[in-house]
Amino acid sequence: MKKIILALLMLLPACVGTMAQGGDTKVREAELQKLAIAIVATKQLYVDSVDGKKLVEDAIRGMIEKLDPHSSYSTPKEVKAFNEPLQGNFEGVGVQFNMLEDTLLVVQTINDGPSEKVGILAGDRFVSVNDTAIAGVQMSKEEIMRRLRGPKGTKVKIGVKRNGIKDIVYFTVVRDKIPLNTIDAFYMIRPTVGYIKVSSFGATTHSEFLNALKSLKESGMKDLIIDLEDNGGGYLQAAAEVLNELLPENDLLVYTEGRAVRRQEFRARGNGRFLDGRVVVLVNEYSASAAEIVSGAIQDQDRGTIVGRRTFGKGLVQRPIDLPDGSMIRLTVAHYYTPSGRCIQKPYEKGKIKDYAMDLINRYKHGEFTNADSIHFADSLKYETLKKHRTIYGGGGVMPDFFVPLDTTKYTKFHRELSAKSIVLNANLRYAEKHRKELIKTYGKDANGADGKGGIEAFIREYEIPQSMIDEIYAEGKKQKVEPKDETEREQTTKALKMQLKALVARDIWTMTEFYKIMNEDSDIVKCALKQLGEM
């Protein structure tokens, strides 16, 4: 073992020399030697056999966990899963699906994607992949996805069960690049008000945002609502590009600065496509990182109004460090600051990740989600907006200009339990599958009514969820011992369920845009935004 350690140590100076180029980040040779000896000694001398690869990974995780809550280590598999939504595409067959019991049910095919090209339809059930059964065998969703995905240009044989056809139909699909959109919906929510729902900030967000702006402006948009609720963030650059479309030339958008990282500023170039109309940004406690960059800049520069609840409070910048085996360390190297100088990272103690994870629960228990008066900021965290000199605060998230309390009565405990057990989703999938042809015949395949039918407007106006569907959900709930505490809770649940199910059916027949067209009319945050624009 001594020879192994000596051989390893001979390699260390070169490694140290490479890492020492950062000046203050220099790692002493003795520290590397200590780590190398510990790993080699454990692998060679420990009483039981150990996995060397796992030993190294555990050592890295142990170091990272003692830092801030957002530095992390990821395996090659985790890196791929993490990057796909941000990169904006993956290679596969091009279907949106849900698992109905133990069967993959196609909800939508990607427009002009591989599956649509060969004739696979919404409502089809995938029962086999390359002659291997995937239905009725309790195969995990992750394993099914692994079998369907693969390099562009490769072929996969899919067995499909289709309503009205007795035998299984087989399709050979040529895999291709499949886009992953980061904008879930955009539409005219009022005659002169556009609405854009941004779910995350990835490589394609800016181009998607430009497409949405162009379409909405052509439809008569004068004012804009940007919905960043539940947006967990993404690329800082993507957030800056979106802000560039909204702010005038040379306005500061965001800047970053760290111990070993110089201050870097992002400023508007003056070529934005929406510089004049009013802007309202919607946020909640799950809006984080890049979403806070956008909302913070809009607020600091007095460009628009922020509506909702205090955001998550993530103001740390991670740099990806690729490792030779495809794994990655995401290391926090800087803080980001809004234009007024606010660092909106909420407080944390190094190494106490569990306490950090409990923050939202503690905020809920403290009453912050339901009462703005329960939120207190120290005077030392007081800042001013840059143009109108309004008072704003740093120290943990972006506090909206107009607070909208969380309505804890809208969704009952009974409703939440039905949803948690997938009873609501499964009932919706079965209903949409059974009635898809009938609904398309009545309202049309084109949500805008371009095919001569009434489209989504007629659907919203005329369609009602049948009571039989509600009864089916409650019956299944009873089987699984999920029941309302009294008749009042049942009635309240029924009202909210009908709204939710109607939106889900619209999504399955058309797209997520139609889902939001229905759900937004019942959203208190959206209503508040419309009120600020004089549309309520």
Side-chain angles (χ1 to χ4, degrees):
M1 190 192 77
K2 185 176 180 181
K3 290 182 179 180
I4 296 175
I5 294 176
L6 289 173
L8 183 60
L9 294 182
M10 288 177 65
L11 298 175
L12 287 175
C15 176
V16 173
T18 301
M19 297 180 70
Q21 292 176 2
D24 291 341
T25 61
K26 182 178 180 181
V27 179
R28 291 178 301 172
E29 182 178 342
E31 292 171 346
L32 285 176
Q33 289 176 343
K34 185 176 180 179
L35 180 61
I37 291 170
I39 291 173
V40 174
T42 303
K43 186 175 181 182
Q44 297 294 324
L45 300 177
Y46 184 64
V47 63
D48 297 320
S49 61
V50 294
D51 183 333
K53 183 178 179 181
K54 187 175 186 302
L55 202 63
V56 172
E57 289 186 346
D58 288 345
I60 295 172
R61 290 186 195 276
M63 287 189 294
I64 298 298
E65 286 173 0
K66 297 300 181 182
L67 303 177
D68 65 277
H70 295 292
S71 291
S72 63
Y73 168 79
S74 303
T75 65
K77 184 178 179 181
E78 290 168 340
V79 170
K80 184 178 180 182
F82 175 81
N83 283 337
E84 274 182 355
L86 295 176
Q87 290 172 346
N89 63 71
F90 65 93
E91 294 175 346
V93 299
V95 295
Q96 296 174 10
F97 69 91
N98 270 309
M99 297 303 295
L100 180 55
E101 293 156 354
D102 63 349
T103 304
L104 184 153
L105 177 68
V106 177
V107 175
Q108 296 284 348
T109 55
I110 303 298
N111 185 41
D112 202 31
S115 290
E116 184 184 75
K117 288 178 179 177
V118 299
I120 290 174
L121 304 173
D124 284 347
R125 296 169 182 251
F126 285 9
V127 296
S128 67
V129 176
N130 288 333
D131 297 323
T132 298
I134 63 170
V137 293
Q138 303 300 316
M139 187 178 288
S140 69
K141 181 178 177 180
E142 290 72 23
E143 178 60 19
I144 293 173
M145 290 174 64
R146 187 188 69 80
R147 291 173 181 272
L148 290 172
R149 292 185 178 185
K152 176 181 178 181
T154 59
K155 296 180 180 180
V156 57
K157 180 183 176 184
I158 300 174
V160 169
K161 187 73 179 73
R162 180 173 291 172
N163 279 345
I165 298 178
K166 182 179 179 181
D167 297 325
I168 294 175
V169 183
Y170 292 94
F171 296 90
T172 298
V173 181
V174 180
R175 297 181 179 101
D176 203 347
K177 287 279 187 183
I178 308 300
L180 282 172
N181 294 327
T182 59
I183 290 182
D184 285 342
F186 64 89
Y187 68 99
M188 295 298 294
I189 193 168
R190 293 294 184 268
T192 60
V193 180
Y195 168 92
I196 301 177
K197 172 67 175 178
V198 186
S199 60
S200 63
F201 287 90
T204 62
T205 302
H206 183 228
S207 61
E208 292 178 57
F209 191 77
L210 289 179
N211 177 59
L213 278 182
K214 182 175 183 294
S215 176
L216 294 173
K217 288 172 75 173
E218 289 173 352
S219 298
M221 177 181 68
K222 294 182 179 179
D223 302 313
L224 174 62
I225 295 173
I226 303 174
D227 190 346
L228 301 183
E229 294 174 86
D230 303 322
N231 183 317
Y235 292 148
L236 182 151
Q237 184 65 44
E241 290 292 349
V242 167
L243 283 169
N244 181 70
E245 302 304 329
L246 307 170
L247 289 163
E249 185 175 8
N250 207 42
D251 265 14
L252 183 60
L253 309 176
V254 62
Y255 68 91
T256 62
E257 194 169 17
R259 180 182 63 85
V261 177
R262 294 179 181 177
R263 173 168 169 148
Q264 181 181 13
E265 294 185 352
F266 296 80
R267 291 184 177 273
R269 299 186 296 274
N271 60 344
R273 275 75 158 182
F274 194 75
L275 300 179
D276 299 321
R278 292 178 294 174
V279 175
V280 179
V281 180
L282 314 185
V283 296
N284 65 9
E285 55 276 6
Y286 296 108
S287 305
S289 185
E292 294 174 293
I293 290 174
V294 172
S295 52
I298 294 294
Q299 188 176 59
D300 283 12
Q301 296 288 4
D302 290 298
R303 175 64 181 90
T305 303
I306 312 301
V307 170
R309 292 183 292 277
R310 183 161 69 106
T311 61
F312 183 86
K314 180 183 181 296
L316 301 176
V317 182
Q318 283 74 50
R319 173 177 294 171
I321 300 172
D322 296 320
L323 300 177
D325 65 346
S327 58
M328 176 192 290
I329 294 173
R330 298 185 72 246
L331 191 68
T332 296
V333 296
H335 289 88
Y336 75 70
Y337 298 84
T338 66
S340 67
R342 289 185 291 169
C343 177
I344 56 178
Q345 172 62 43
K346 59 187 175 184
Y348 63 89
E349 289 187 52
K350 290 183 178 180
K352 294 190 176 182
I353 297 176
K354 289 184 179 179
D355 291 347
Y356 188 80
M358 289 292 291
D359 177 67
L360 287 182
I361 295 174
N362 292 333
R363 283 164 61 178
Y364 176 78
K365 290 179 178 178
H366 184 62
E368 178 182 320
F369 295 171
T370 55
N371 190 342
D373 293 338
S374 67
I375 307 170
H376 302 287
F377 294 100
D379 286 343
S380 60
L381 300 173
K382 188 181 292 186
Y383 291 80
E384 284 188 349
T385 61
L386 299 178
K387 294 180 173 66
K388 297 182 179 179
H389 306 291
R390 297 180 296 118
T391 298
I392 49 178
Y393 291 91
V398 174
M399 185 65 188
D401 302 304
F402 292 91
F403 176 80
V404 180
L406 176 67
D407 186 351
T408 57
T409 65
K410 182 173 291 185
Y411 296 106
T412 64
K413 182 174 182 288
F414 177 45
H415 191 162
R416 292 195 298 272
E417 289 180 349
L418 289 170
S419 297
K421 290 181 177 290
S422 297
I423 296 171
V424 175
L425 179 61
N426 287 338
N428 167 73
L429 291 172
R430 283 192 294 268
Y431 182 85
E433 178 191 18
K434 184 177 180 181
H435 297 279
R436 184 181 304 275
K437 289 183 180 179
E438 170 193 338
L439 289 167
I440 290 175
K441 183 178 179 181
T442 303
Y443 298 105
K445 181 64 176 173
D446 191 301
N448 295 318
D451 52 5
K453 304 289 185 179
I456 186 62
E457 297 305 324
F459 180 86
I460 292 173
R461 192 171 56 248
E462 302 168 5
Y463 178 78
E464 290 187 12
I465 290 292
Q467 185 60 40
S468 59
M469 190 177 180
I470 303 296
D471 294 341
E472 176 191 338
I473 290 171
Y474 290 168
E476 181 59 31
K478 188 174 183 179
K479 284 183 186 178
Q480 299 191 35
K481 298 181 179 179
V482 178
E483 297 186 74
K485 65 181 178 181
D486 53 34
E487 191 57 34
T488 300
E489 186 177 35
R490 177 186 287 269
E491 290 176 359
Q492 191 174 342
T493 301
T494 299
K495 180 181 178 182
L497 255 183
K498 286 189 172 182
M499 168 74 76
Q500 179 189 14
L501 288 166
K502 184 172 182 175
L504 287 170
V505 170
R507 177 204 66 181
D508 291 348
I509 299 303
W510 295 295
T511 69
M512 283 297 290
T513 290
E514 285 65 52
F515 173 87
Y516 283 104
K517 281 186 178 182
I518 293 172
M519 292 301 291
N520 280 343
E521 294 304 312
D522 193 48
S523 165
D524 293 332
I525 290 180
V526 172
K527 288 178 182 178
C528 181
L530 290 170
K531 184 178 180 181
Q532 305 316 312
L533 295 172
E535 294 290 342
M536 285 294 290

